[in-house]
Amino acid sequence: MTRPTGNARFRAARQAAGYRTQQELVDALASRGLHIGLRQARRYEGENPPLPNPDVRQALVTLLGRPLDELGFNVPPGTGPQATKSLIAPANRGPLRSPSAPQPATAGADFLAVTRAHRRLYWTVAPAILHPAVAAHATLGGQLLDATTGRTRQTLAAALGESWLLAGRIEFFDLREPDRAGDTWVRALQAAGEADDALLGAAILAHMAFIPGWVGQRPAATERMVAARTYARRGQASGHFVAWLDAVEAECATRCGDTRAALNLIAHGETVVEDIASPTPEWMDWFSPIRLAAFKGHTQLVAGHLPQARETLLHVLDELPGDADKQRTVILGDLGAVEAAAGRPADAAQYALRALELLETHWYATGLERVREVRRALGPWEHEQYVRDLDDRLYGWGAVVSALAC
């Protein structure tokens, strides 16, 4: 038997909304003139939480950005619209759960099999095609969850968390929809809480750090990384997992202008990345020592260490596996940026063109973002033929809409 987790949905939503402790949420309610006390807040996160009074319901929906029935409360019919409707714009939440017949013991394994297939397909299937299937699969899992118990429920909940994590990865990295990804990752965190899977929770929280990190909001990114590392310790993460956390935090620090801290984090990651004394989850297929080097090359580029960045990125380009064309577009873009910064614009344009060729068959918004950074760096040479050739490819009929949308 698994140990009780209480109202994991409420706890996950509180943490995702930025309230690190129950007391912080109590204080936020008090600022709205609602005084519930810490004891009551603890009851909301316990087993069989009591339904809040109407004013508190409305405030919780607003503060946590989730409908009340998605916060783990049993909402009876006729409670009122404020109890079941979020005040934020819906973002692929899927239908509310409806009663399901009890599912057999095989339901968890069956659902997980499809989740695993989606995980493998991510590297080769166009995101616009794969995302609807992943989201529909996750919606199905949410509807099945209440119709399972025991180990079947735990297996299903963990697979559901992974499915929502994958949907959010597509939204954030492939489609560049960070707000939508944030909403999706809250759902992933709630499912991980249902499964009591600390490592999955750590992975989701670290992904959530990307959202503020990519726009320079260092404190918010740091808070989420602290939470991610806490869950990683709880789940006895391997050194390999810790190295990925170092890489994520380094990426956030780089985008916030602190390349020294980022390089220190990557240096630490390099010392532990080969440590697999504890098993690394099978779903963590997005990281390896060579991908840590990719993070390093980008940080070296931003720090202005151009010879080192060139050497690192060329090594990564040679060592990436055959199915890593999405990552390859990013590396080619970074190499183009290195050459532009080094005053070698023709070489920069060639790297950008190679990235665009890959993007035609393996779309990746993050890769396009890197190409566009190269093109901006080539501004002083925009009348040269090699830059015009790049523009012809970048703004062809097939690419211009996608380019301008990102």
Side-chain angles (χ1 to χ4, degrees):
M1 294 181 64
T2 59
R3 64 182 176 86
T5 59
N7 187 355
R9 296 182 193 175
F10 190 97
R11 181 168 59 254
R14 168 176 62 76
Q15 292 170 339
Y19 302 106
R20 294 175 297 177
T21 66
Q22 295 167 336
Q23 185 61 56
E24 288 185 1
L25 180 60
V26 170
D27 293 342
L29 289 168
S31 70
R32 295 169 171 262
L34 300 170
H35 302 279
I36 66 169
L38 183 58
R39 181 179 179 183
Q40 185 72 356
R42 289 172 178 160
R43 293 181 67 196
Y44 292 157
E45 297 191 17
E47 296 290 334
N48 301 314
L51 189 66
N53 67 47
D55 290 340
V56 175
R57 293 173 207 159
Q58 183 72 63
L60 288 174
V61 167
T62 302
L63 292 172
L64 303 183
R66 313 296 301 174
L68 200 65
D69 63 327
E70 291 186 18
L71 295 176
F73 295 105
N74 182 18
V75 183
T79 301
Q82 76 278 7
T84 57
K85 294 182 180 179
S86 172
L87 298 184
I88 62 174
N92 193 31
R93 296 187 186 280
L96 296 177
R97 293 182 185 167
S98 57
S100 299
Q103 296 298 309
T106 57
D110 291 341
F111 185 86
L112 176 59
V114 179
T115 298
R116 284 172 171 157
H118 287 159
R119 183 201 311 150
R120 293 191 295 269
L121 290 169
Y122 170 74
W123 302 107
T124 56
V125 176
I129 295 174
L130 182 60
H131 182 270
V134 174
H137 179 60
T139 298
L140 170 64
Q143 293 172 333
L144 293 177
L145 194 60
D146 285 339
T148 58
T149 58
R151 183 167 295 182
T152 299
R153 179 181 175 87
Q154 186 179 30
T155 300
L156 180 61
L160 176 59
E162 183 190 339
S163 288
W164 281 127
L165 172 59
L166 177 59
R169 282 173 56 81
I170 296 172
E171 290 158 2
F172 186 83
F173 296 110
D174 296 75
L175 304 177
R176 294 306 297 131
E177 299 179 5
D179 292 340
R180 186 180 181 188
D183 188 73
T184 297
W185 283 333
V186 170
R187 302 194 75 166
L189 193 60
Q190 290 176 324
E194 293 278 356
D196 194 24
D197 190 327
L199 288 184
L200 183 56
I204 295 162
L205 285 162
H207 276 86
M208 295 176 80
F210 278 126
I211 299 174
W214 277 41
V215 293
Q217 297 175 0
R218 185 77 178 275
T222 299
E223 273 193 8
R224 294 178 181 190
M225 286 308 305
V226 168
R229 291 185 186 276
T230 300
Y231 276 72
R233 287 194 300 272
R234 189 177 300 158
Q236 299 180 329
S238 66
H240 185 85
F241 194 102
V242 171
W244 174 68
L245 295 179
D246 289 336
V248 174
E249 191 165 359
E251 176 79 2
C252 293
T254 298
R255 290 180 175 266
C256 294
D258 192 351
T259 55
R260 176 178 294 183
L263 289 171
N264 286 337
L265 284 161
I266 290 171
H268 177 264
E270 289 174 329
T271 68
V272 299
V273 69
E274 302 286 0
D275 173 18
I276 54 173
S278 300
T280 298
E282 65 169 297
W283 41 257
M284 192 178 171
D285 62 348
W286 59 75
F287 186 67
S288 64
I290 199 63
R291 291 176 188 270
L292 176 62
F295 281 96
K296 181 179 183 177
H298 180 66
T299 297
Q300 290 171 326
L301 163 63
V302 175
H305 304 166
L306 300 183
Q308 296 92 328
R310 182 185 294 113
E311 180 181 0
T312 301
L313 292 166
L314 285 172
H315 171 66
V316 172
L317 195 62
D318 287 341
E319 297 296 325
L320 279 175
D323 63 353
D325 281 341
K326 290 182 178 182
Q327 183 69 35
R328 199 167 279 109
T329 64
V330 173
I331 302 305
L332 289 168
D334 281 348
L335 280 166
V338 168
E339 301 308 339
R344 300 160 75 170
D347 291 340
Q350 283 303 309
Y351 278 123
L353 278 169
R354 287 175 61 185
L356 285 174
E357 289 171 1
L358 279 178
L359 286 168
E360 289 180 358
T361 55
H362 295 82
W363 177 253
Y364 195 46
T366 303
L368 179 63
E369 181 181 271
R370 295 296 222 277
V371 171
R372 294 176 69 192
E373 289 172 1
V374 176
R375 176 58 185 88
R376 286 191 286 270
L378 290 174
W381 299 280
E382 63 182 12
H383 298 300
E384 298 291 341
Q385 186 59 48
Y386 50 79
V387 179
R388 291 181 176 179
D389 291 342
L390 174 61
D391 287 345
D392 284 342
R393 195 66 171 262
L394 180 59
Y395 297 112
W397 285 111
V400 67
V401 174
S402 297
L404 294 176
C406 293

